[in-house]
Amino acid sequence: MAKTLLEQLESVQNAIEAVLSSQSYKLNGREMTRADLDMLQAREDRLESKIRRYGPNYKIDENTKARRGPVFKKAVW
């Protein structure tokens, strides 16, 4: 199920809070390390930008891949 941009932002902000409280922890004898803070903050910035552009309730289809830059087709002569 696709999440709204606001739901995604809340998830990222929760992850940021978790990283800030402790970067690593032990659970059942296994040591776990949380996500990279820089990566999470970059994701937060992108989501905030999308919310300003599309609104907080916009949903992005999880199966759609992001396009980076223009796509040009080769001319066939």
Side-chain angles (χ1 to χ4, degrees):
M1 183 172 100
K3 290 184 178 181
T4 66
L5 291 174
L6 185 59
E7 291 169 335
Q8 292 177 46
L9 179 61
E10 288 170 351
S11 294
V12 169
Q13 289 172 335
N14 289 337
I16 289 171
E17 282 184 41
V19 168
L20 292 175
S21 68
S22 65
Q23 179 60 26
S24 62
Y25 60 97
K26 285 190 177 186
L27 181 65
N28 297 328
R30 295 179 61 190
E31 188 169 344
M32 309 294 278
T33 302
R34 298 189 193 276
D36 178 39
L37 183 59
D38 290 336
M39 179 199 67
L40 289 170
Q41 289 174 326
R43 175 80 174 135
E44 180 184 36
D45 291 342
R46 286 191 306 273
L47 286 168
E48 287 172 343
S49 176
K50 287 181 180 183
I51 287 172
R52 284 190 296 276
R53 185 173 182 180
Y54 302 113
N57 295 320
Y58 185 79
K59 290 185 180 184
I60 297 175
D61 184 9
E62 295 169 347
N63 297 323
T64 303
K65 293 185 179 180
R67 288 180 48 178
R68 307 239 188 256
V71 176
F72 298 100
K73 292 186 179 180
K74 240 182 177 175
V76 179
W77 301 94

